[in-house]
């Protein structure tokens, strides 16, 4: 229904990617290629991966926070600020970006301790929610193909690969 929280969380149509059978199979193929790439270059790529995880996680969490703020406080939708390097940002984006940046900073500082896992889980959950919001599975055939391919992908790379 219009005006509901679920409607506010729904992605705009131009942000939705409909998954077909080739994308489902290609996802596993590209994932396998990337794992082979990481096998040989992990010592060099680890910092790139950490950086991408931090930027992507902060972005996902800040965007969800901004959506929630815009839904709860509609006047924030119309207010924006022009930042010199970034450009025009809504106040909700700035407000939501602060806890997202704190969360990511806490993970970077605590990632090698026993206290880092909750921050990593929250960032990972933000990624997964954004992925669910963005991808659309048109039918059960495509969903079955994707899940079956990912099942065998996981079994191969966890138990069979050297």
């Amino acid at each position: 229904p219009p005006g509901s929280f679920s409607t506010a969380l729904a992605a705009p149509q131009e942000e939705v990617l409909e998954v077909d059978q080739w994308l489902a199979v290609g996802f596993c193929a590209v994932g396998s290629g990337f794992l082979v790439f990481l096998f040989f270059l992990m010592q060099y790529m680890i910092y790139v991966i950490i950086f991408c995880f931090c930027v992507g996680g902060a972005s996902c969490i800040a965007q969800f926070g901004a959506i929630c703020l815009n839904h709860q406080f509609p006047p924030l939708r119309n207010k924006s600020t022009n930042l010199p390097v970034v450009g025009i940002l809504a106040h909700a984006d700035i407000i939501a970006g602060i806890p997202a940046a704190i969360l990511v900073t806490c993970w970077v500082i605590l990632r090698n301790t026993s206290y880092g896992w909750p921050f990593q889980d929250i960032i990972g959950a933000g990624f997964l929610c954004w992925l669910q919001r963005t991808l659309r599975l048109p039918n059960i055939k495509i969903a079955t193909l994707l899940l079956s391919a990912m099942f065998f992908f996981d079994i191969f790379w966890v138990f069979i690969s050297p």
Side-chain angles (χ1 to χ4, degrees), residues 93-107:
D93 292 330
I94 296 169
I95 294 168
I98 294 168
I102 291 170
L103 182 74
V104 168
T105 303
C106 288
W107 177 76

Side-chain angles (χ1 to χ4, degrees), residues 23-34 145-146 148-151 153 157:
L23 185 62
V25 172
F27 187 75
C28 293
V30 170
S32 294
F34 192 70
L145 177 67
L146 178 63
S148 298
M150 292 309 296
F151 175 75
F153 170 89
W157 285 107

Side-chain angles (χ1 to χ4, degrees), residues 59-136:
S59 174
C60 290
I61 292 168
Q63 288 179 22
F64 273 120
I67 290 169
C68 293
L69 285 171
N70 282 331
H71 181 73
Q72 293 297 323
F73 306 105
L76 286 175
R77 291 181 198 156
N78 302 327
K79 296 182 179 180
S80 61
T81 303
N82 190 4
L83 296 176
V85 177
V86 180
I88 298 173
L89 280 178
H91 286 179
D93 292 330
I94 296 169
I95 294 168
I98 294 168
I102 291 170
L103 182 74
V104 168
T105 303
C106 288
W107 177 76
V108 168
I109 293 168
L110 300 172
R111 68 188 163 93
N112 292 324
T113 69
S114 62
Y115 303 109
W117 68 267
F119 302 107
Q120 184 172 333
D121 285 358
I122 293 168
I123 295 168
F127 272 122
L128 292 176
C129 288
W130 198 255
L131 190 68
Q132 282 186 322
R133 180 180 185 260
T134 306
L135 295 181
R136 179 155 303 134

Side-chain angles (χ1 to χ4, degrees), residues 39-56:
F39 179 78
F40 293 107
L41 299 174
M42 181 57 112
Q43 63 188 2
Y44 307 109
M45 292 298 297
I46 188 67
Y47 299 107
V48 173
I49 292 169
I50 290 172
F51 176 77
C52 291
F53 181 73
C54 291
V55 171

